[in-house]
Amino acid sequence: METVVLQDLTIGYTSKGNEKVVAKGLNATLNAGELTCLLGRNGIGKSTLLRTLAAFQPPLRGSILLATSPLTALTDKELSRTIGLVLTERPDVQNMTVRFLVGMGRSPYTGFWGTLSATDEAIVDEAIRMVGIESLENRQVQTLSDGERQKVMIAKALAQQTPIIYLDEPTAFLDFPSKVEMMQLLRRLARDGQKTIFLSTHDVELSLQLADRIWLMEPDMLHVGIPHELADSGVLSKFIEQGGITFDTQSLTIRVQ
């Protein structure tokens, strides 16, 4: 189990000596056993935050702790066994089967040649089963739809067997029943496997119904709480209600007038 702690974190970029701050003063905790959803308007910095938490880019200031250890203290191998990351970018692969791609999730454990043992193959089988893509495993990755490909990338992250999984818009290309199914799967994985699962999403209402905790990014402010806490505080209404859109704080539902 891993707890992720943000301490006065500032995220952004440095280019040619110039610093671009995307968000600052972020203080929050991701808990094992919880599904946490990150909400915020386009351009607010959700993807930048995910990449920083996954050590794809360094923080400008502040710290990220895994339990009590700084994220920066982990080696690449330790990171690959601790954090799984699913991005929205299309994987640039050709002539590769779905099963082979999911099996690449085992690479932190297989050594230089990447040969899968019987145990590795069983873990791949289980990841494919959990996401419900058994019928796709012999398909070529480049023949998949966007939604099918997203499920495959989630299966690859599950095969990696990390205690922490970050996902950037994992439901973006799925139809509504598949969105619900995926969110239920991620919540179940968090609770049953005591994993720390954190995802960014624009599916606000679905997140409020299924997430254990919500992070809402606003300029220079990160609101953290269970959905009903943020609803009762008025934070969610301020974020959601505009242009004929209303928010029911009791049922956590959104209506369009």
Side-chain angles (χ1 to χ4, degrees):
M1 295 189 297
E2 291 282 359
T3 299
V4 183
V5 182
L6 283 59
Q7 294 184 336
D8 201 24
L9 185 68
T10 297
I11 60 173
Y13 305 88
T14 302
S15 177
K16 298 179 181 178
N18 295 319
E19 187 177 273
K20 176 177 172 51
V21 173
V22 173
K24 62 183 179 180
L26 305 178
N27 292 279
T29 300
L30 292 170
N31 298 309
E34 290 185 351
L35 173 64
T36 303
C37 290
L38 174 64
L39 306 178
R41 305 199 190 286
N42 285 336
I44 198 69
K46 299 188 298 296
S47 293
T48 303
L49 177 56
L50 277 172
R51 289 178 178 274
T52 305
L53 292 178
F56 273 40
Q57 65 188 68
L60 298 179
R61 279 175 290 282
S63 58
I64 302 166
L65 304 178
L66 303 186
T68 58
S69 301
L71 180 66
T72 52
L74 271 64
T75 65
D76 288 345
K77 185 173 184 179
E78 289 170 334
L79 281 170
S80 69
R81 293 186 174 192
T82 304
I83 298 173
L85 180 64
V86 179
L87 300 174
T88 52
E89 285 89 344
R90 180 189 294 267
D92 185 20
V93 295
Q94 296 290 328
N95 302 316
M96 181 184 294
T97 66
V98 164
R99 184 178 182 84
F100 189 89
L101 181 57
V102 175
M104 289 176 66
R106 298 303 301 159
S107 60
Y109 311 93
T110 56
F112 180 78
W113 297 108
T115 303
L116 300 189
S117 67
T119 299
D120 293 320
E121 295 285 4
I123 291 169
V124 171
D125 285 336
E126 178 66 4
I128 288 172
R129 186 197 63 77
M130 283 192 292
V131 182
I133 56 170
E134 295 95 330
S135 64
L136 301 178
E137 66 175 306
N138 294 316
R139 287 263 304 273
Q140 295 287 311
V141 173
Q142 70 269 19
T143 69
L144 302 177
S145 69
D146 287 337
E148 289 170 338
R149 188 174 60 253
Q150 192 73 341
K151 289 183 177 182
V152 171
M153 298 310 294
I154 291 171
K156 177 176 176 286
L158 294 179
Q160 198 174 335
Q161 287 197 318
T162 56
I164 299 169
I165 301 176
Y166 298 139
L167 307 101
D168 191 6
E169 294 284 348
T171 60
F173 304 117
L174 304 180
D175 57 34
F176 187 75
S178 295
K179 288 176 188 283
V180 175
E181 180 186 5
M182 186 58 63
M183 292 286 282
Q184 289 173 328
L185 168 65
L186 293 172
R187 183 176 65 175
R188 187 167 65 251
L189 289 170
R191 293 179 176 180
D192 295 349
Q194 285 299 294
K195 292 181 181 290
T196 302
I197 299 185
F198 182 53
L199 62 93
S200 67
T201 182
H202 287 293
D203 291 319
V204 176
E205 190 169 22
L206 191 56
S207 298
L208 298 180
Q209 298 291 334
L210 291 174
D212 296 297
R213 199 168 301 273
I214 297 291
W215 289 15
L216 174 59
M217 285 188 77
E218 292 187 336
D220 297 329
M221 178 66 69
L222 180 62
H223 302 279
V224 176
I226 64 173
H228 276 291
E229 287 176 343
L230 296 185
D232 292 342
S233 72
V235 167
L236 288 174
S237 295
K238 181 181 175 183
F239 172 63
I240 294 168
E241 292 187 337
Q242 55 181 310
I245 302 172
T246 60
F247 177 61
D248 188 314
T249 58
Q250 296 304 309
S251 63
L252 301 178
T253 55
I254 300 169
R255 296 173 183 168
V256 180
Q257 297 176 340

